[in-house]
Amino acid sequence: MRRFLIINPFGIGDVLFTTPVIRAIKDRLPRAIICYWCNDRAQGILRYNPGVDKIIALSRGDIKKVYRKSVWAGIHRFLKLLHCIKKGNFDVAIDFSLDHRYSLIAKLLGIKKRIGFNYKNRGMFLTDKIGLPGPCVQGRGLDGYSGKHVVEYYLDLLKPIGIEPKSYNLELVLSQTAKRKSGDILREHGISDKGLIIGIAAGAGASWGQDASLKHWPAISFGKLADRLINDLGAKVILLGDASEEHISDMIISAMHNRPINLTGKTNLEELSAVINNLSILVTNDGGPLHMAAALGKKTISFFGPVDPKVYGPYPRDEKRHIVLKKDLECSPCYIKFRLSDCKRNGECLETIDVDSAFNAVKKLL
């Protein structure tokens, strides 16, 4: 076993959850070649990871987008993808996709050992199938992640090849270019590396698409918290996010008496990572920025509603560095078997987390 193909078409946080797998392979097999097949949006997370030798950034969803614009362009990109995988001459595929089509491609292209989860019996093209049994929750059996963190599930896929991890930490490596650019951005706004700098990522959860807002603490609450951080702690507050989240930052600003630094939509993924690396604390919803901060060793305050933080929260767990704020309702968590139940309580699990709790959590980390 020398040439590995890792398959993960999911979002930023999910890709970061696989970085301990990359490290474990390289620790055990230093000369191994690792190619990572991910989606286009997440590739910046992996670009400078020393364990990744090649990135194929084209998921099934990306191909669909190309195909909708041009049928021939979609076919061309797909054929190019197949050629790239075939040329890699991989010995092992580690498939996190939960989708039988990825392992089918791996089989057809001659990858002899294919390891993955047998989610809903979709592992018919895998040579080594790992089940996803779980305990019953509210009387319902689980066919998904439950009871332990996703990182630990992912590391289970190394057992068929006899590799044990030495480290469970997430890894995010920054380029010098991104570090310089983020430093320039902060200096332009009068921020040095001294003093209390708190970032707010009030969007996040893009992988949920139109349901992402169901993971969001209210923007007005973020605005009230930001004012208190500025008035009571003298903090510099930076609003973070991509261009699709600008409307959320606008709502935060409209709810504030002070003026934060608004970098929403003004950084790419690598620059955003570098800005987070300059923060004292990141306050955020459940999503990519949370796990980027955890991978960079930064302190975080995060809000969890439909999702179980024991499974998807900041990792490794460390209450001195990461505080999760949530309400324990009888219907929580409602994201089970990778499906979200209809909410009959109007988002109460997030709406009722008060600003005082968030402010006190920040003070506790300080």
Side-chain angles (χ1 to χ4, degrees):
M1 296 181 299
R2 186 158 181 261
R3 304 183 69 85
F4 291 79
L5 176 65
I6 294 178
I7 304 169
N8 187 339
F10 300 123
I12 291 166
D14 211 272
V15 168
L16 284 167
F17 291 161
T18 66
T19 54
V21 172
I22 297 169
R23 170 54 53 202
I25 293 172
K26 285 290 189 175
D27 284 344
R28 175 69 182 275
L29 303 167
R31 297 179 64 189
I33 302 298
I34 296 178
C35 176
Y36 202 112
W37 182 5
C38 63
N39 69 47
D40 182 65
R41 189 171 63 91
Q43 64 174 313
I45 291 296
L46 298 166
R47 189 165 287 129
Y48 298 96
N49 188 309
V52 177
D53 299 283
K54 183 177 177 63
I55 298 172
I56 301 174
L58 189 69
S59 68
R60 189 169 66 90
D62 295 328
I63 293 174
K64 281 184 176 180
K65 291 177 184 177
V66 176
Y67 188 86
R68 281 195 291 266
K69 293 180 180 179
S70 166
V71 173
W72 291 112
I75 293 172
H76 174 72
R77 291 288 297 275
F78 182 61
L79 292 176
K80 188 176 179 181
L81 167 72
L82 297 180
H83 174 73
C84 187
I85 295 173
K86 180 67 175 177
K87 188 179 177 181
N89 194 28
F90 298 109
D91 305 304
V92 181
I94 302 177
D95 183 3
F96 298 102
S97 72
L98 308 176
D99 185 333
H100 69 278
R101 283 164 285 200
Y102 287 91
S103 54
L104 173 60
I105 289 173
K107 179 179 180 178
L108 293 176
L109 295 179
I111 303 177
K112 293 183 178 180
K113 195 168 189 66
R114 302 174 301 277
I115 308 167
F117 296 112
N118 192 29
Y119 171 63
K120 289 188 174 180
N121 294 318
R122 295 175 185 173
M124 67 279 285
F125 302 115
L126 299 170
T127 59
D128 296 83
K129 306 173 187 179
I130 307 297
L132 283 178
C136 287
V137 174
Q138 301 171 16
R140 293 171 288 179
L142 293 180
D143 193 0
Y145 305 131
S146 175
K148 65 181 182 181
H149 201 279
V150 177
V151 171
E152 294 161 18
Y153 276 101
Y154 283 178
L155 287 167
D156 285 345
L157 293 191
L158 294 176
K159 291 179 180 178
I161 51 178
I163 293 178
E164 292 287 339
K166 295 179 181 178
S167 170
Y168 290 80
N169 294 325
L170 310 187
E171 293 188 25
L172 175 54
V173 181
L174 305 177
S175 70
Q176 292 302 317
T177 300
K179 288 179 180 179
R180 285 194 296 270
K181 182 65 183 296
S182 67
D184 292 341
I185 291 171
L186 294 177
R187 281 190 290 274
E188 287 172 8
H189 291 86
I191 296 179
S192 66
D193 57 359
K194 297 179 181 179
L196 180 59
I197 309 171
I198 297 179
I200 288 179
S207 61
W208 275 33
Q210 63 183 8
D211 291 329
S213 61
L214 300 176
K215 301 172 78 174
H216 294 174
W217 196 47
I220 292 176
S221 298
F222 272 114
K224 292 178 179 178
L225 173 63
D227 267 339
R228 289 191 64 180
L229 296 174
I230 294 169
N231 293 335
D232 297 1
L233 302 181
K236 298 282 188 181
V237 173
I238 306 175
L239 304 186
L240 302 169
D242 62 28
S244 69
E245 296 163 341
E246 289 178 345
H247 68 288
I248 300 175
S249 292
D250 290 342
M251 286 191 286
I252 292 173
I253 292 169
S254 67
M256 292 180 63
H257 298 291
N258 297 288
R259 192 75 180 176
I261 296 162
N262 187 9
L263 297 185
T264 312
K266 297 177 182 177
T267 59
N268 61 32
L269 184 59
E270 293 172 37
E271 292 163 355
L272 173 61
S273 301
V275 170
I276 290 174
N277 195 46
N278 284 280
L279 300 177
S280 308
I281 296 174
L282 176 68
V283 184
T284 179
N285 295 310
D286 163 29
L290 168 63
H291 305 297
M292 292 160 68
L296 292 166
K298 312 308 293 185
K299 295 179 179 181
T300 68
I301 307 292
S302 55
F303 303 95
F304 275 74
V307 173
D308 187 352
K310 294 178 182 178
V311 180
Y312 295 96
Y315 192 86
R317 299 181 186 90
D318 182 350
E319 293 182 359
K320 294 182 179 179
R321 303 195 66 81
H322 305 296
I323 295 178
V324 172
L325 298 176
K326 64 185 183 70
K327 291 290 184 179
D328 293 318
L329 306 179
E330 64 272 11
C331 55
S332 298
C334 59
Y335 179 68
I336 298 174
K337 292 187 180 182
F338 309 112
R339 293 289 183 271
L340 187 65
S341 302
D342 292 334
C343 182
K344 296 179 174 59
R345 301 183 66 157
N346 198 29
E348 181 182 343
C349 57
L350 284 165
E351 293 279 347
T352 55
I353 299 174
D354 59 82
V355 174
D356 283 343
S357 297
F359 181 73
N360 291 333
V362 171
K363 289 200 298 181
K364 184 177 180 179
L365 288 186
L366 293 177

